[in-house]
Amino acid sequence: MSGFLDARPRVGYFYTGKDSNQLIKEQVNKKIVKDYKAQPIVISESSSVYDGICTLFLEDVGTLFVVNNMGHLAGVVSRKDLLRAALGKQNLTDIPISIIMTRMPNIITCTAEESLLEAAKKLIDYQIDSLPVVRAVQNGNRTVFEVIGRVTKTTITKGFVEFGNEVTI
Amino acid sequence: MSGFLDARPRVGYFYTGKDSNQLIKEQVNKKIVKDYKAQPIVISESSSVYDGICTLFLEDVGTLFVVNNMGHLAGVVSRKDLLRAALGKQNLTDIPISIIMTRMPNIITCTAEESLLEAAKKLIDYQIDSLPVVRAVQNGNRTVFEVIGRVTKTTITKGFVEFGNEVTI
């Protein structure tokens, strides 16, 4: 039923010892990244900063994931990175996006199996807006990452709203 | 105690009729904007786009609130507004920020007394990153707004993490 009372044959209902704090924690921990992740917006490492800005507006996202020619995660570019680049005097079509991106292995990622709570903590702790959801792949003796989704503060905000609207146990 | 059981003199414990969904909803609704809002970062209406970009980086925020010479909310400028302006060929110190801002009355706001859930819903429904927390003030026969805080998706993400860490009733 509610999680507070449990039933045992020949005993009847008994108090499970959980208070509502614990139940809420359990509910929060049940939310898994794979059920909430959005589509990742990726751009090729060989694109220009100008291409990046266009993609950002066209796809209406805050962060782009940069992939190499094998399709593996190479970097992350934020709106602030693009804004900083746009302030310079250079022609934006001449600057490769790979120059301004945050590069592997300095990228904070999450997996589809992680809890949404773990992902939310990473967003806060590392002061970032977006996490690529990745799957590790062996490439010879190196581990590389395929991008299979994104978790942003928007994702978490939607999760929060869901709590207030309807929670199913 | 937990909210599920309540006590009455001479009766003992009884089931309150609330299930854990309802209790979680109650917990979510108890979070009020005033307990979570961050400092607003404001900029004068007479500033340039270049000033705006500098403030954005210096204060490390995603959205600036623009105030008029009376200190009342006049507009909102996002990273995307600034990025769009930076793509143009004009000198950014020559463009007034009031040209690129979203202007009152087209600004979605919230009050300090609203629930964090209401604020989160506005962020999702209107697809925005930040809400100014405002206080209405009468100025002659016009209602104007003072900016007293901000609620962003970061604020909501912190609220979500708090749920997973510790909830007090």
Side-chain angles (χ1 to χ4, degrees), chain A residues 4 21 60 79 167 169, chain B residues 4 20-21 60 79-80 167:
Chain A
F4 284 75
N21 286 4
D60 197 21
R79 280 175 287 204
V167 188
I169 298 196
Chain B
F4 284 76
S20 43
N21 285 5
D60 197 22
R79 280 174 288 204
K80 281 196 174 171
V167 187

Side-chain angles (χ1 to χ4, degrees), chain A residues 31 36 116 153-167, chain B residues 24 27-29 31-32 36 115-121 124 155-163:
Chain A
K31 289 180 182 281
Y36 290 88
L116 207 56
K153 285 176 184 166
T154 307
T155 319
I156 308 295
T157 303
K158 284 181 182 164
F160 184 87
V161 170
E162 197 184 80
F163 257 134
N165 284 341
E166 194 180 3
V167 188
Chain B
I24 291 174
Q27 287 303 313
V28 173
N29 278 297
K31 290 181 182 278
I32 304 297
Y36 290 88
S115 74
L116 208 54
L117 179 64
E118 279 305 310
K121 282 181 184 167
I124 296 298
T155 318
I156 308 296
T157 304
K158 283 181 182 166
F160 183 86
V161 169
E162 198 183 81
F163 262 132

Side-chain angles (χ1 to χ4, degrees), chain A residues 1-5 15 18-21 23-25 27-29 31 50 53 56-57 59-62 79-84 86-87 89 91-92 116-117 120-121 123-124 127 129 152-169, chain B residues 1-5 15 18-21 23-25 27-29 31 50 53 56-57 59-62 79-84 86-87 89 91-92 116-117 120-121 123-124 127 129 152-169:
Chain A
M1 190 187 74
S2 61
F4 284 75
L5 299 178
Y15 175 51
K18 293 177 186 170
D19 61 16
S20 45
N21 286 4
L23 278 185
I24 291 175
K25 275 189 215 180
Q27 288 302 313
V28 172
N29 279 295
K31 289 180 182 281
Y50 186 79
I53 294 174
L56 192 91
F57 279 107
E59 302 285 352
D60 197 21
V61 289
R79 280 175 287 204
K80 280 197 174 171
D81 295 328
L82 293 170
L83 184 56
R84 203 179 290 112
L87 286 183
K89 297 294 172 200
N91 193 333
L92 295 178
L116 207 56
L117 179 64
K121 281 181 185 168
L123 291 172
I124 296 298
Q127 299 186 21
D129 282 334
T152 66
K153 285 176 184 166
T154 307
T155 319
I156 308 295
T157 303
K158 284 181 182 164
F160 184 87
V161 170
E162 197 184 80
F163 257 134
N165 284 341
E166 194 180 3
V167 188
T168 46
I169 298 196
Chain B
M1 191 188 70
S2 62
F4 284 76
L5 299 178
Y15 176 52
K18 293 177 184 169
D19 64 14
S20 43
N21 285 5
L23 279 183
I24 291 174
K25 276 189 213 181
Q27 287 303 313
V28 173
N29 278 297
K31 290 181 182 278
Y50 186 80
I53 295 174
L56 191 91
F57 279 106
E59 302 285 352
D60 197 22
V61 289
R79 280 174 288 204
K80 281 196 174 171
D81 296 328
L82 294 170
L83 185 55
R84 202 179 289 111
L87 286 184
K89 298 293 172 202
N91 192 334
L92 295 179
L116 208 54
L117 179 64
K121 282 181 184 167
L123 292 172
I124 296 298
Q127 298 185 21
D129 283 334
T152 66
K153 287 177 182 165
T154 307
T155 318
I156 308 296
T157 304
K158 283 181 182 166
F160 183 86
V161 169
E162 198 183 81
F163 262 132
N165 285 339
E166 193 180 4
V167 187
T168 47
I169 301 194

Side-chain angles (χ1 to χ4, degrees), chain B residues 57-71:
Chain B
F57 279 106
L58 285 172
E59 302 285 352
D60 197 22
V61 289
T63 308
L64 299 173
F65 304 132
V66 184
V67 294
N68 62 20
N69 53 9
M70 304 280 286

